[in-house]
Amino acid sequence: MFPTPIQKASGPTRLAYQIALPIALVIWLFPLIGVAVTSLRPASDLAAGNYFGVPSSIAFENYASVFRDSPIGWYILNSFKVTIPTVIGAVGLSCLTGFALAVYGFRANLWVFFAFVAGNFIPFQILMVPVRDLTLKAGLYDSTLGLVLFHVAFQTGFCTLFMRNFIKGMPFALIESARVEGVSEWQIFRHIVLPLMRPAIAALSVLVFTFVWNDYFWATVLVQGQHAMPVTAGLYALNGQWVAAWHLVSAGSIVAALPPVLMFFLMQRHFIAGLTLGATKG
Amino acid sequence: MQHDPQPAGFWKRNQMKIAPYVFFAPGALMFSIYVLIPIVQSIWISFQDWDGLGPKTWIGLANYVELLDDDTFYVALKNNLLWLGLYLLAIPMGLAAALFLNQNVWGIRLYKSMFFFPFVISQVVVGLMFTWFYAPDFGLFSQMIKWLTGSEVAILADERYVTYGIIVAGLWPQTAYCMILYLTGLNNLNSEQIEAARMDNARGWRLLRHVILPQLAPATFIAMVVTVIGALRSFDLVSIMTAGGPYGSSQVLSYFMYEQALSEYGYRMGYGAAIAVVLFLIMMVFITLFIVRMIAQERNR
Amino acid sequence: MAEVSLSNVKKDFGAISIIKGIDLEIKDGEFCVFVGPSGCGKSTLLRMIAGLEDISQGALRIGGRDMTKIGPSDRGVAMVFQSYALYPHMTVGENIGFGLRMTGHEKAEIAKRTAAAAKMLQLEPLLERKPGQLSGGQRQRVAIGRAIVRNPEVFLFDEPLSNLDASLRVQMRGEISRLHQDLGATMIYVTHDQVEAMTMADKIVVLSAGRIEQVGSPLELYHRPKNLFVAGFIGSPKMNFIPVDARPHNGGIEVTLPGGATLQLAGTLAAAGKMTLGLRPEHASATGAGDAVLPAKVQLAEHLGSETLFFVSLADGTEIAVKADGLAAERPGDTMQIGFPARACHLFDADGNAVLNGDLTR
């Protein structure tokens, strides 16, 4: 283990470490803590200039007011309407493409690989004009479906690479053994590979959920009206309305950040496994 | 004979040839429609004058010529370089955080998760948090500056500091990302190698430099990839925190493109596409480097 | 009837030729072992018979039917993999019945055949377990069970015992041999371990660099190796090779051993020349009994209890191994008299082909 375990260090060092940990955390999360506190500060405190002191009362009222006086609840619903179908679509499609790339030797395998990796890293702006145009022409502009289709397609690139690497890590003899037994290619996918992909599916689902939930660019490019707007773009719009109403902006921010945060805490292991796949083995 | 009871049909005889394409087609189709073809279309549109609705007019390189005369373009380019350079700080910072947290004490798992927190939050929320953090009068950061120097600085309204202010906001989640990559890397170190090095009297910095870092190379590579790409893609924070202002001083190519293409003074899709192509070409340099290395690794496996 | 016949079978990967023209007939019910060093193409050849690798050239027939272009599932073969390839998410019972279930067999039929296979392999108490909960030997048996349920006419084994420890390997060797006797099916078995080949095979195929070196029964290969490669590969410890000068002499052959001693061998020789004399360690005499006796210096003595293995050097420095009695007491540095019995000696020409095989019955 590196660095040397703190347990082997002297008493004072150990104590110093134990004290340093929470202090470092508070400094690290300072902006977040500030926003969280502000979100619970009554409006009167801000008006009175009490920005940093102890709130005069805990104002859950801010949260109630955010939901009551703004369409944020609606925005969140939209975000779910975009995110959940995207997760299902992208993960589902990439199971298929990943299987194809991992199990069969394509003649153009290298180019396909190149296209998926490159497609994964390109700037969104190079896609913006044609994708917006395509969505308009398909009559999907300003709809959650328009967003879903794009996100599914784009995330499929990343997910395919992930799935391909995951399947490549399985013993190939499993597939060959099934082939000798007369199992068809689809059955091999359905009954052997798919059940073994569960950890990869979980990891990707959490990741894609977070990526898509947090997307802001496409939400502004493909959606204009309130009825389809996801919470990221919605929050930005609300920020314009709530000028200087920082208690409301803060409460709204916390609300918008909550679903991916919950997702992260519930599925932490999968999340990190997904993010770091390939980071440790060359 | 225990051969398959059904007669071998066309599918059965040819499935090894057909199956790959059947599995591959749906995803590849979606990816082509929404990613691969639009890249080509964008390049095509960059040679046109187009408002997004009416007919396109071929104007050759005129968009690019105009771009070379556009002061904002140079500001954006310069800021992109600044992003690129400073964003890389996320890698050593992430490594430092990972080394700090790679202990086995009570509650460390929770600490790690909390340190990772900024990455999970939407950049919109990060942007709003830092806007509040920097806000003059009541922002925590401004207050600290005031307390330290006696004068107030409105970071996001000051042409000198605004880009740095946004980059710091970006470094927050990016450092968390690099940290988690390194934490995983540290978790998978070859402990025998470290023990051997300790017996050879390597410790502290030299152990890190000569034994640990080489073992962390894959994590460093991924961290490089995501950080470089992240720096060049920066859009959300600029859009949320300053919309490129004040006076275009915090422009970056990605936001510049968006602003031109969907500008309130009329859509300039062709010009926007040209900016996107430039950004795309810059990124392709890096992407190609990364892929060459990835393929080399794949071959060596 | 399921004889397997290969005629001029070749395999290329791009420009590299892996299998360079194999002609082979395996009779129905025969236990045939492919043996050779790693990289000799034995596994590729097996996989070509299974249908997992395409056959670049030549023809494969199983039970008289041309299978060259038929998919693996329609060849009537079953394969046991080196890694066992058990599906980790299925129980032992599901693993065994999976192939049948996927090819549309009725539930009752699957249950019946699974039970029969489990009984045969003593897997009954384990049917509900997952592969992860089994020992290596048990996994091996499940893999075999998965092959048995399909009643294949040809069983293919790809180094099935190489992941087991030594004692389990001996036991499984016996079980597979018994299975072969019970089922009477054709079995093709790949291994790099010549002991496995010797103990199990009806017919051994020795492969090297994509070619067949020799085909024959275990004892045939042991007693009459066609060339240096087979002579060196079959038998443990391996045969000693001693550089000699050979010439025709009195209707026989006279070889000059290191140090100048001569040995008369029966047989004929066209011309004199430098050749290689082969003598197995178990046929050399540590007590100096033989038709030629050479002094040798002991380099190393391995005391195995039942026997002692001496590694000694001859006058020209050639090192040879000699099997001796378990109580032999010579120590490194001592000089021994090594006896060469003429009837046990093999002679190979400069190209490595056998000019003369010993004949112990003489």
Side-chain angles (χ1 to χ4, degrees):
Chain A
M1 195 168 164
F2 186 88
T4 312
I6 201 80
Q7 283 84 349
K8 288 188 186 167
S10 62
T13 316
R14 274 213 306 273
L15 189 68
Y17 183 74
Q18 290 285 9
I19 294 169
L21 265 181
I23 293 175
L25 182 65
V26 168
I27 294 172
W28 181 240
L29 294 182
F30 221 67
L32 183 66
I33 295 167
V35 166
V37 171
T38 306
S39 77
L40 293 170
R41 202 179 277 285
S44 55
D45 274 19
L46 295 180
N50 177 13
Y51 292 117
F52 309 110
V54 179
S56 57
S57 64
I58 300 290
F60 288 111
E61 157 63 18
N62 292 343
Y63 286 88
S65 129
V66 161
F67 275 100
R68 195 178 52 234
D69 304 331
S70 84
I72 201 158
W74 181 251
Y75 293 151
I76 285 181
L77 185 68
N78 282 335
S79 274
F80 277 114
K81 282 203 285 196
V82 172
T83 308
I84 291 173
T86 301
V87 168
I88 296 170
V91 174
L93 277 183
S94 61
C95 284
L96 297 171
T97 44
F99 179 77
L101 286 182
V103 170
Y104 307 100
F106 278 99
R107 203 166 301 159
N109 227 334
L110 203 65
W111 284 104
V112 173
F113 183 72
F114 185 89
F116 274 117
V117 178
N120 193 19
F121 288 148
I122 52 164
F124 290 139
Q125 283 70 24
I126 193 83
L127 309 178
M128 185 187 110
V129 172
V131 166
R132 185 176 177 277
D133 194 39
L134 177 70
T135 309
L136 267 171
K137 283 191 180 131
L140 295 172
Y141 185 75
D142 222 3
S143 72
T144 49
L145 181 62
L147 269 178
V148 166
L149 286 179
F150 172 77
H151 281 312
V152 166
F154 191 82
Q155 298 296 339
T156 294
F158 165 71
C159 297
T160 296
L161 289 178
F162 188 101
M163 290 299 192
R164 170 190 172 273
N165 290 344
F166 189 86
I167 297 172
K168 277 245 157 166
M170 293 180 189
F172 198 61
L174 290 182
I175 289 160
E176 295 192 316
S177 157
R179 278 188 189 150
V180 177
E181 289 190 59
V183 181
S184 74
E185 297 299 303
W186 170 255
Q187 287 169 327
I188 289 175
F189 172 73
R190 171 72 191 75
H191 293 282
I192 296 171
V193 176
L194 203 56
L196 296 177
M197 280 164 79
R198 257 187 234 146
I201 292 172
L204 271 187
S205 301
V206 197
L207 273 191
V208 172
F209 182 95
T210 312
F211 290 164
V212 173
W213 183 279
N214 289 341
D215 163 70
Y216 167 71
F217 180 75
W218 293 101
T220 60
V221 170
L222 297 182
V223 170
Q224 210 165 26
Q226 240 180 45
H227 67 279
M229 193 173 277
V231 71
T232 42
L235 188 63
Y236 182 61
L238 288 176
N239 183 46
Q241 294 168 25
W242 291 329
V243 182
W246 281 102
H247 56 297
L248 296 182
V249 175
S250 303
S253 299
I254 299 278
V255 167
L258 217 50
V261 165
L262 282 179
M263 196 73 161
F264 168 67
F265 270 104
L266 289 176
M267 318 251 310
Q268 207 181 120
R269 205 152 33 91
H270 291 299
F271 191 99
I272 290 171
L275 267 188
T276 54
L277 184 97
T280 49
K281 44 178 181 184
Chain B
M1 296 281 277
Q2 267 305 319
H3 288 316
D4 197 77
Q6 301 114 24
F10 176 78
W11 166 250
K12 202 159 169 38
R13 271 182 288 118
N14 292 292
Q15 62 166 334
M16 284 301 288
K17 287 192 199 83
I18 304 169
Y21 296 96
V22 174
F23 283 113
F24 191 56
L29 195 70
M30 285 290 280
F31 195 72
S32 303
I33 292 174
Y34 273 101
V35 181
L36 298 181
I37 296 171
I39 293 175
V40 181
Q41 286 174 319
S42 269
I43 296 171
W44 174 250
I45 292 169
S46 75
F47 298 116
Q48 321 267 349
D49 182 26
W50 189 38
D51 64 0
L53 291 169
K56 302 186 181 83
T57 324
W58 177 270
I59 53 168
L61 290 173
N63 282 326
Y64 293 94
V65 173
E66 184 183 344
L67 199 56
L68 289 178
D69 267 337
D70 195 330
D71 290 339
T72 317
F73 173 66
Y74 292 104
V75 174
L77 207 56
K78 190 202 86 197
N79 282 340
N80 265 124
L81 286 177
L82 209 56
W83 270 88
L84 197 57
L86 292 178
Y87 227 46
L88 288 173
L89 288 177
I91 298 172
M93 280 160 50
L95 176 62
L99 290 173
F100 177 61
L101 289 176
N102 193 35
Q103 291 292 348
N104 209 351
V105 299
W106 188 83
I108 197 73
R109 266 181 57 108
L110 188 65
Y111 275 109
K112 287 178 187 168
S113 312
M114 297 300 277
F115 267 85
F116 185 59
F117 225 92
F119 182 75
V120 186
I121 302 170
S122 160
Q123 297 235 325
V124 174
V125 176
V126 171
L128 289 177
M129 279 179 188
F130 273 83
T131 308
W132 171 82
F133 193 53
Y134 291 143
D137 297 336
F138 56 86
L140 265 177
F141 182 76
S142 311
Q143 292 301 311
M144 281 193 287
I145 294 290
K146 196 172 174 183
W147 184 70
L148 281 172
T149 65
S151 62
E152 233 177 335
V153 182
I155 298 276
L156 296 182
D158 191 315
E159 292 180 36
R160 287 169 300 173
Y161 306 128
V162 60
T163 297
Y164 296 98
I166 304 174
I167 294 173
V168 167
L171 278 174
W172 195 44
Q174 194 64 29
T175 301
Y177 192 0
C178 294
M179 178 200 78
I180 211 78
L181 292 172
Y182 277 121
L183 272 177
T184 314
L186 286 171
N187 224 345
N188 292 308
L189 288 180
N190 177 343
S191 58
E192 283 186 4
Q193 229 185 71
I194 297 175
E195 278 160 10
R198 285 209 168 112
M199 297 194 64
D200 285 340
N201 250 329
R203 54 175 54 104
W205 165 249
R206 288 174 22 154
L207 181 61
L208 178 70
R209 164 81 185 70
H210 295 289
V211 180
I212 308 295
L213 278 185
Q215 284 198 55
L216 290 175
T220 306
F221 176 67
I222 303 279
M224 283 279 275
V225 174
V226 296
T227 304
V228 167
I229 300 294
L232 292 172
R233 265 188 180 172
S234 54
F235 172 90
D236 296 6
L237 291 174
V238 174
S239 165
I240 302 290
M241 294 172 77
T242 63
Y247 314 114
S249 57
S250 63
Q251 275 291 6
V252 287
L253 287 176
S254 59
Y255 190 77
F256 182 40
M257 179 274 165
Y258 171 82
E259 202 183 55
Q260 290 298 321
L262 302 176
S263 132
E264 29 197 305
Y265 311 109
Y267 290 178
R268 298 194 60 201
M269 297 293 186
Y271 193 52
I275 303 171
V277 169
V278 171
L279 179 60
F280 176 71
L281 291 179
I282 295 173
M283 286 179 80
M284 276 317 277
V285 173
F286 291 99
I287 294 172
T288 310
L289 285 176
F290 296 148
I291 291 181
V292 166
R293 214 199 110 150
M294 276 183 196
I295 289 176
Q297 271 178 354
E298 186 95 352
R299 291 247 168 88
N300 286 339
R301 225 176 254 180
Chain C
M1 293 298 280
E3 65 282 344
V4 176
S5 119
L6 290 82
S7 50
N8 195 26
V9 164
K10 290 182 182 169
K11 173 80 186 173
D12 309 313
F13 286 113
I16 304 154
S17 171
I18 304 290
I19 300 290
K20 298 164 183 160
I22 298 280
D23 288 293
L24 182 65
E25 298 288 335
I26 299 165
K27 291 202 225 39
D28 184 37
E30 202 165 36
F31 197 113
C32 175
V33 175
F34 294 173
V35 68
S38 58
C40 71
K42 56 190 188 296
S43 276
T44 309
L45 190 59
L46 188 79
R47 291 162 58 81
M48 286 160 80
I49 296 173
L52 294 172
E53 301 280 355
D54 292 334
I55 296 172
S56 308
Q57 231 186 86
L60 164 75
R61 302 176 75 80
I62 299 174
R65 283 179 53 201
D66 184 2
M67 295 289 186
T68 316
K69 298 258 182 269
I70 306 289
S73 53
D74 296 323
R75 293 194 181 188
V77 301
M79 184 151 165
V80 176
F81 289 80
Q82 180 175 5
S83 60
Y84 318 139
L86 301 184
Y87 311 124
H89 57 294
M90 299 181 199
T91 64
V92 168
E94 286 165 349
N95 257 291
I96 295 177
F98 180 69
L100 297 178
R101 184 158 68 92
M102 291 296 111
T103 43
H105 288 76
E106 282 179 26
K107 269 208 173 115
E109 170 77 6
I110 299 172
K112 202 179 90 194
R113 278 156 71 170
T114 304
K119 182 154 186 258
M120 191 177 229
L121 295 162
Q122 293 130 43
L123 286 170
E124 284 151 315
L126 307 176
L127 282 175
E128 295 308 314
R129 299 226 192 136
K130 294 267 176 76
Q133 300 163 288
L134 303 181
S135 69
Q138 289 167 335
R139 283 183 213 183
Q140 178 64 68
R141 289 213 294 272
V142 177
I144 294 172
R146 222 166 55 181
I148 291 177
V149 277
R150 300 181 48 236
N151 296 339
E153 299 172 309
V154 180
F155 282 84
L156 307 175
F157 294 90
D158 189 3
E159 307 215 21
L161 305 185
S162 55
N163 288 345
L164 300 179
D165 62 41
S167 67
L168 209 50
R169 212 176 302 165
V170 174
Q171 185 196 333
M172 287 308 297
R173 227 155 63 190
E175 285 191 29
I176 293 175
S177 291
R178 202 165 324 120
L179 194 72
H180 178 237
Q181 285 162 21
D182 292 349
L183 296 173
T186 311
M187 293 191 174
I188 305 177
Y189 186 105
V190 163
T191 179
H192 62 268
D193 178 356
Q194 57 96 21
V195 177
E196 267 174 42
M198 296 296 281
T199 49
M200 300 168 83
D202 297 323
K203 177 192 271 176
I204 296 180
V205 179
V206 181
L207 290 158
S208 158
R211 285 208 176 80
I212 293 184
E213 294 288 342
Q214 191 170 357
V215 180
S217 72
L219 290 183
E220 233 172 282
L221 297 188
Y222 178 83
H223 291 296
R224 284 190 294 285
K226 268 191 188 162
N227 52 38
L228 276 176
F229 182 84
V230 177
F233 196 81
I234 300 288
S236 173
K238 72 194 277 285
M239 187 187 282
N240 296 306
F241 295 129
I242 301 141
V244 294
D245 288 312
R247 61 187 181 94
H249 180 71
N250 280 349
I253 306 170
E254 184 183 78
V255 299
T256 311
L257 295 163
T262 57
L263 182 62
Q264 305 296 324
L265 301 176
T268 51
L269 192 62
K274 293 213 173 291
M275 298 203 170
T276 305
L277 183 85
L279 180 66
R280 295 196 183 277
E282 55 269 40
H283 300 148
S285 160
T287 52
D291 305 300
V293 179
L294 273 67
K297 201 169 169 197
V298 178
Q299 301 289 345
L300 179 69
E302 287 182 349
H303 297 280
L304 303 173
S306 61
E307 64 197 33
T308 305
L309 199 55
F310 287 109
F311 294 89
V312 301
S313 56
L314 302 179
D316 69 337
T318 306
E319 246 194 57
I320 66 170
V322 180
K323 229 178 230 183
D325 190 83
L327 296 174
E330 283 85 348
R331 301 162 54 98
D334 292 354
T335 302
M336 291 174 79
Q337 298 299 324
I338 307 295
F340 282 58
R343 62 192 184 113
C345 287
H346 306 261
L347 195 60
F348 303 93
D349 64 18
D351 298 328
N353 293 318
V355 176
L356 169 77
N357 284 132
D359 183 357
L360 291 170
T361 58
R362 242 186 338 220

